[in-house]
Each structure stands twice: as C-alpha cells, then as structure tokens.
Amino acid sequence: MSRKEIKGLFLWPILLLALSVVLNLSLGSVYIPTDYIFTAFFTETNINETWHYILTDYRLPKAITAILVGGGLSVSGLLMQTLFRNPLAGPFVLGISSGASLGVAFLVLGSGLFTGLGVSALSGPWAMVIASASGSFLVLLAVISAASKIKDAMALLIIGLMFGSLTGAIVSVLSYFSRAEALQQFVFWSFGGLGHLSWTGVIILFISVIIGLVVAVASLKSMNALLLGPQYAQSLGVSIKKSTFLMVLATSVLAGSITAFAGPIAFIGLAVPHLVRQIIGSPDHKIMVPSSFLWGSIIMLLCDTVAQIPFSSMTLPINAITSILGAPVVIWILLRRKNLLF
Amino acid sequence: MHWRYFIVIILGLQTFLGCKDPKTTSNLAHGCLNAQRVTYAKGFCLTQQNGYTLLKILDPISGQMKQQIALVPEGARYPEGFSSDQLIKVPITSIVATSTTHIPPLELLDRATALSGFPNLDYISSSLTRARIDSEMVQELGQNEALNIEVLVSLKPDVLMTFSIDETQNGLEKVKQAGIPLIYNGDWTEQHPLGKAEWIKVFGALFDIEAQADSIFRTIEKEYLNLKSLAKQSQTQPTVISGALYKDIWYAPKGDSWAAKFIEDAHGLYLWKDTAGTGSLQWNIEEILQYTHKAQIWIGPGQFTRYDQMAQSSPTYTQFKPFQDKKVYTFSSTKGPTGGLLYYELASMRPDWVLSDLIHILHPGLLAPDYEPKFFTPLAP
C-alpha cells in the first residue's frame, strides 16, 4: 500500500471524526447555537452560564467518552476476532461484561439481601464504577489463570462463555428477589450511558484506554502473524502464549474500564471491525487498529447524537441505538460486497 | 492459580467492606434531640439553629445521617462549616420533584407553581398540576433513572428533590456540580402512615412557611386519630388478606409495613400481621393455598381491576373466600387523566383518606351512608 493510499485511508475518517464531534456538541435537548460553541471554546466570553455548563461539563465530557468508548471497544473487538480467528468474537467474549454486571448486581440488587456482608457499605458516586471494575477483574483473573494452563485459544473462548452463563445465572437469582426500584436501576445500568461521567472519570478512562491501546500496538506484529494460523505464527518466531496474554490483557483493560464507566455497550465491538475490513480491504493490523479506533469513535458519536433526540427532552438508551442503526449498515455492506472479508 | 487465592481475595474484600459497617446510632445521637415537631417520621429532623434551620435526612432504619442541609433565610449570613451544596437559601422559589408523592405537599402548601420540572409527567394526576403541565409550565425530564441533565440544568431549580437515598444513581453528581442542591426525600421508607405525611414539614421549611405546614399536618393527624378511634368502636374485626401472585410467588406486605399498619388502625385483623419486617413477604402457591378460607376481605390484589381478569390470570385466585364472596377491593381502578394511579400520588400525604376508605370497607355503617371512597373500590365483575 502506497503512502498516498494510506493517507487517504486516514484523512477522511479524521475529518469525519472532527465533524461528528462538532455535530455531537451542537445537538442536544437544549438548543445552543453552533457559533456559540466556537465562542465558548475559543474565547473567554461567557454569554450564558447555563449553556456554558451544559457545553463544558456535560456535552464535552460526553463526546470524549463516546470517542474513547467507541474506539476502545472496536479495537478490543478486533483483538478478540484475530485471537480466536472467529468473526463472532467481540470484546465481551471473555466474560468482562458478565463480570461487571455481576458486580453491579451485587451492589444494586444485593444490598437488601446482603446487608450483613457489608455490600451496601459501598456508596457514593464511584460505587458503580468500583463494583463493575471489581466484578470484571475477578472474572478476568479466573479467565487468565485458565489461559495460562491451556494452549488452545478455542478452549479459552468456551471458558469465557461459561463464565458468562454462570454470572448471568447469579444475576437472575438476585433479580428474582429484588425490589422493583432496584431492578429498574440495574436495567438502566445495563442500557449503558455516556453522559454521567465527571471530568475525573473521563481522565481515568482516558488513561486506561491509552494503556490498553499501547499494549494492543505492542502486539501488532504477532496479530498479523496470527492471521496465518498459529503454526505459521510460531514458525515466524511468535510466542503464542505471550501474544495471547498480551491481547487478553489489552482487551481486559480496554473493555473492563469502558464497561466500568459506561456500562455494557453492545454491538460496537463486534460490528466495527467487520465494517472497517470491508471499507479498507486490507487485513494488515497496522492499518486495522487505528482505523477501527477512528470508525468506532465516529459511529459512537453519531449514535449518541441520535440517542439524545435533539431538541426534545427525551433520550433513548445508547445500547438500542448502536444496534438499530448499526446492524442494517453492516448487513447492507456485506450484501453489497457479496463475500465476507475476514 | 488456585481456588484458595480466590478465597483469600474474597475474604480480603469482605474485611475491607466490613470495616465500613454503618454505626447503628439513633436519631438522638445526630443532634436531633432538640428537633422540633417531628413526631412520626424517622427519616428527617428539623432543628432551629442560630439564624438558620438545620435539616437532617436520616436513614430510617439505622438512624445514620444521610445528609445535612442549612436552610438559611434570605438576607441572613451563611453559617460556617457547610459546603456549598449543603446551603439552601429559603424561601426557595422553584423545585424539581421526582416522585408523585412530592406533588400533594406542594399543592397543600399552595406552592404548586414552584414545580418547574418532573420526570415522566404522565404519572401526575392532580388536576391543578396537570393544568400547569398542559400550559407547558412544568418541563418533562425523561426517566427518573436517567434524568435529562441538559434540561434540568437549564431549568436552574433552587432544589432537586430525589427519592433515591443512594448517590450511585447516574447523573446526580453532574447536577450537584452544576450547583443545584439535592434533597433526598425518604417519605416512601417511612413505616407509620402519618410518617410519610409528616414530610410536608420539609417542604414547609424549604418555602419558609413552617407554621402553615405544621398546621396542615396537625389537621391530617387529628383526622387520622379520630378515624382510628372511631374504627375501634366497631364490634367486629374482619380478617384481611392482601397481595397477589407474580408468576408463582405471592407478594404481600409484611406485618410491620405501612399497609399492614393501616389495616390495624382500621380495626381489621391482617392475616399475616405476625410476619416481622417491613418489606413484602414472598410465598409460593402451595404455602398460600393454606390461607384460602381464613380471611373475609382482600385488599390490594396487585394491578387487577376485574374479577374475570384475576380468574384468567390464575385459577388460584378463585379458591379464595373473598374472591368467591366478591369482597376484593383495589386502588388500581382510580386513575388520573393520564393513567397515573391516584393512590401512589396521594396516599402518603393523605393517610386519613386511606384510613376512611378502609373503615368504609371493613365496617360498613360506621361512616356516612353516602361516603365516596377516594382510592379503594370494589373490583368490577
């Protein structure tokens, strides 16, 4: 691929990303003129205090979260699809979202049942994040310890699925015995959400996503080799065990931190890598990883803009929008291409 | 990795969390000793301090303090030792409420015009507030679990009154950052029928019309106590059951709950009054079938409003004596114009109306013959 082609592959998405950010910032329940947005960010003038707060403390952190969430999940979905050589794999196949939902379920649904255990002692604005992160962490610990024992990546996939079923069952039991209000709170968590992060939250998420991306970039070479199959990869001098560990680690950091802050965001991680493969037509991970990040961010920003239903006080759950808008697009692209690139 | 590592981690977490075990302290320990005029409610107290009123919101079960707020009269100096989200200038002029139970106190205090936003407006039934909603003076805020932050911030209310006591709810932190003070209204956790109504005093303090709130509460209290002693005069004490099946589990109020207390005060014998606790009891069908012929009256069969609806839903219901005798009463038939249940909005503020309805059902003849029930009506055939 020539230098010019590569430039073209990245120039458009970057312009589109910038456009999506402006669109996302200018549309919401409260009407704020677009020119005011530029005034607010690039000058010191503060015309309307409420608009200023909505822009700088609500819409801007939400837009940054959307970029991190969309990009991070797409990259981790790509990692898992490559590792398992399975087009159905996504960021949550290792049981990260099930672990997170178990943690949150214990916090929200279990507080009535386990008062003696002190679960309810966890409170405050960070409680959900801590519960979710520690849930994912415990499940991951189990999956990684399993990964270190078995050689076959497929077995790891099945173990991840089993953990998912197991935690799902525990969540069902907890839901069965919960009050309606607690259940509703849990359901709302499972819808996912981008708008509630404080700036501190955004910074922590940013750092985690950067760490995850650095680990992902470190395994670029072995990812390309893995595309040829594990035997070939090994003959090229790639340590399967080490690269598996690195890819699992990157996915855990990315998907784990994103789920902790934004809830289990569906679809993006599974679909965006497919979308990007069809668009760029090259399996090279040096292009796939940054492209997945860019396109994931763009799609997440656009979905969030739609979910806000501009100028109405209604909002829709982000999880529904990603699938409603995303699934037809993926189907359409696959039909047009007639053959699946994977 | 071995299982024993997991056990160590779990035990470690347990100790870590266990350290924060809430201290069981009573209202008194939190300086509610000198609190005035709070008789039945366990979730708050108001204390007159030097130049301001101190509002404390407590956990009704542990008595642990959840929140303390200084209500400072206009023109007075802010007391020291409070952060900005703990200071509210009174009287407030605008409020965003989140539960329909917050509407009746506002209206009784003649402050319905202060309501500027509410999530899920359709739940509100009161004609006064509905008229304000129709003329777009109250903003829709979406879902309570996902309040529309942009609209809420642009409304700039003096107070956001929420009903959830935990701060884990998404977005509340944003509201605080925007400088909108939060007050946790725990009226729904009160277990005494008059305790919920007493929360009108919090509204009174916020609007700086405490005397008015006190007198409204005293009127309701007096009415309630009069009705209670009237019910006691009845010679009979009918046995009452409550609840309904959800799938194959029967949910009914436990013996110490709000609903059970009403039945007791209406001089009825709640069949499950000896079950300890305030939540709901959950029994399976086999357990519940033992009680089919032990009660005469059935109050509150879930969402059902018709007998045929119940029979269709589960044949188990037809086994009960009150069902066969057509003695089932529900509050689910009395709805507002947009489908909100009147009982959920008004019952906590008007326990006297709930009690008179129950007396009307349990002791026909004690009240005036032309008594019009406010909430509880017989099921339709």
Side-chain angles (χ1 to χ4, degrees), chain A residues 179 181, chain B residues 163-165 185-191 196 199:
Chain A
R179 288 178 300 116
E181 298 86 29
Chain B
F163 62 83
S164 130
I165 297 204
N185 185 324
D187 59 359
W188 58 281
T189 57
E190 298 290 346
Q191 295 307 328
K196 290 182 202 265
W199 278 80

Side-chain angles (χ1 to χ4, degrees), chain A residues 18 59 73 82-83 100-101 168 175-177 192 194 209 212 244 267 277 280 324-325:
Chain A
R59 288 192 193 171
L73 285 179
T82 305
L83 175 65
S101 70
S175 327
Y176 193 79
F177 290 107
L194 307 170
V209 169
T244 304
F267 186 78
R277 267 184 217 107
I280 65 175
I324 290 174
L325 294 184

Side-chain angles (χ1 to χ4, degrees), chain B residues 133-182:
Chain B
I133 294 169
D134 293 338
S135 47
E136 293 181 354
M137 286 146 90
V138 186
Q139 279 280 330
E140 173 66 73
L141 288 176
Q143 302 278 345
N144 179 61
E145 282 74 11
L147 289 174
N148 189 315
I149 306 286
E150 293 196 6
V151 179
L152 181 56
V153 169
S154 67
L155 284 176
K156 283 196 234 170
D158 290 338
V159 163
L160 167 67
M161 189 169 266
T162 72
F163 62 83
S164 130
I165 297 204
D166 65 275
E167 287 173 53
T168 52
Q169 195 185 340
N170 284 346
L172 287 188
E173 201 54 29
K174 288 258 144 146
V175 179
K176 261 195 209 168
Q177 274 172 21
I180 299 170
L182 255 70

Side-chain angles (χ1 to χ4, degrees), chain B residues 109 200-205 209-218:
Chain B
L109 289 168
I200 194 175
K201 292 176 178 175
V202 174
F203 289 88
I209 39 173
E210 291 184 61
Q212 202 179 327
D214 276 6
S215 99
I216 291 169
F217 178 71
R218 267 203 306 276

Side-chain angles (χ1 to χ4, degrees), chain B residues 27 42-43 58-64 66 165 186 189-190:
Chain B
N27 290 10
K42 291 203 163 72
L58 314 165
D59 182 316
I61 296 148
S62 66
Q64 201 186 13
K66 291 278 176 192
I165 297 204
T189 57
E190 298 290 346

Side-chain angles (χ1 to χ4, degrees), chain B residues 223-234:
Chain B
E223 185 60 28
Y224 187 91
L225 297 176
N226 285 343
L227 283 164
K228 186 177 162 183
S229 49
L230 176 72
K232 277 232 175 70
Q233 292 167 14
S234 172

Side-chain angles (χ1 to χ4, degrees), chain B residues 5-317:
Chain B
Y5 290 123
F6 282 104
I7 293 165
V8 169
I9 288 168
I10 304 253
L11 285 177
L13 274 175
Q14 172 77 60
T15 353
F16 165 69
L17 294 168
C19 289
K20 287 177 75 182
D21 202 30
K23 286 188 191 71
T24 38
T25 33
S26 69
N27 290 10
L28 303 179
H30 289 294
C32 283
L33 187 62
N34 302 319
Q36 298 103 357
R37 308 176 298 268
V38 179
T39 327
Y40 303 93
K42 291 203 163 72
F44 76 95
C45 73
L46 288 159
T47 325
Q48 199 59 49
Q49 303 283 355
N50 193 13
Y52 66 97
T53 307
L54 185 63
L55 166 65
K56 288 183 179 175
I57 307 284
L58 314 165
D59 182 316
I61 296 148
S62 66
Q64 201 186 13
M65 190 163 66
K66 291 278 176 192
Q67 222 188 352
Q68 65 172 341
I69 292 161
L71 307 173
V72 189
E74 198 67 56
R77 234 163 35 92
Y78 279 144
E80 277 172 27
F82 291 91
S83 61
S84 61
D85 60 335
Q86 293 177 317
L87 290 163
I88 297 176
K89 268 246 183 305
V90 293
I92 59 164
T93 55
S94 63
I95 185 168
V96 165
T98 51
S99 158
T100 50
T101 59
H102 305 161
I103 310 297
L106 287 173
E107 293 186 354
L108 282 173
L109 289 168
D110 200 17
R111 290 296 184 277
T113 47
L115 183 73
S116 60
F118 190 87
N120 252 324
L121 287 172
D122 278 353
Y123 287 154
I124 298 180
S125 303
S126 134
S127 54
L128 181 61
T129 302
R130 279 245 65 94
R132 295 194 64 239
I133 294 169
D134 293 338
S135 47
E136 293 181 354
M137 286 146 90
V138 186
Q139 279 280 330
E140 173 66 73
L141 288 176
Q143 302 278 345
N144 179 61
E145 282 74 11
L147 289 174
N148 189 315
I149 306 286
E150 293 196 6
V151 179
L152 181 56
V153 169
S154 67
L155 284 176
K156 283 196 234 170
D158 290 338
V159 163
L160 167 67
M161 189 169 266
T162 72
F163 62 83
S164 130
I165 297 204
D166 65 275
E167 287 173 53
T168 52
Q169 195 185 340
N170 284 346
L172 287 188
E173 201 54 29
K174 288 258 144 146
V175 179
K176 261 195 209 168
Q177 274 172 21
I180 299 170
L182 255 70
I183 291 184
Y184 298 117
N185 185 324
D187 59 359
W188 58 281
T189 57
E190 298 290 346
Q191 295 307 328
H192 194 286
L194 286 165
K196 290 182 202 265
E198 201 162 17
W199 278 80
I200 194 175
K201 292 176 178 175
V202 174
F203 289 88
L206 284 171
F207 289 103
D208 207 11
I209 39 173
E210 291 184 61
Q212 202 179 327
D214 276 6
S215 99
I216 291 169
F217 178 71
R218 267 203 306 276
T219 316
I220 292 170
E221 180 193 23
K222 204 173 141 208
E223 185 60 28
Y224 187 91
L225 297 176
N226 285 343
L227 283 164
K228 186 177 162 183
S229 49
L230 176 72
K232 277 232 175 70
Q233 292 167 14
S234 172
Q235 302 296 318
T236 54
Q237 193 182 20
T239 309
V240 177
I241 55 163
S242 185
L245 287 170
Y246 191 76
K247 290 202 173 149
D248 50 357
I249 304 284
W250 185 284
Y251 291 85
K254 282 189 184 163
D256 301 332
S257 67
W258 188 60
K261 185 98 178 101
F262 268 123
I263 296 170
E264 189 194 322
D265 286 354
H267 199 55
L269 187 71
Y270 182 45
L271 189 58
W272 300 306
K273 71 179 168 58
D274 294 328
T275 49
T278 56
S280 20
L281 53 87
Q282 299 163 21
W283 280 338
N284 66 23
I285 289 190
E286 294 187 11
E287 173 90 28
I288 207 74
L289 280 172
Q290 305 175 54
Y291 298 105
T292 49
H293 276 76
K294 294 206 169 138
Q296 290 124 355
I297 290 171
W298 184 348
I299 287 170
Q303 78 285 13
F304 295 110
T305 53
R306 295 203 321 270
Y307 284 102
D308 56 346
Q309 208 182 17
M310 284 182 87
Q312 261 170 34
S313 160
S314 166
T316 315
Y317 293 133

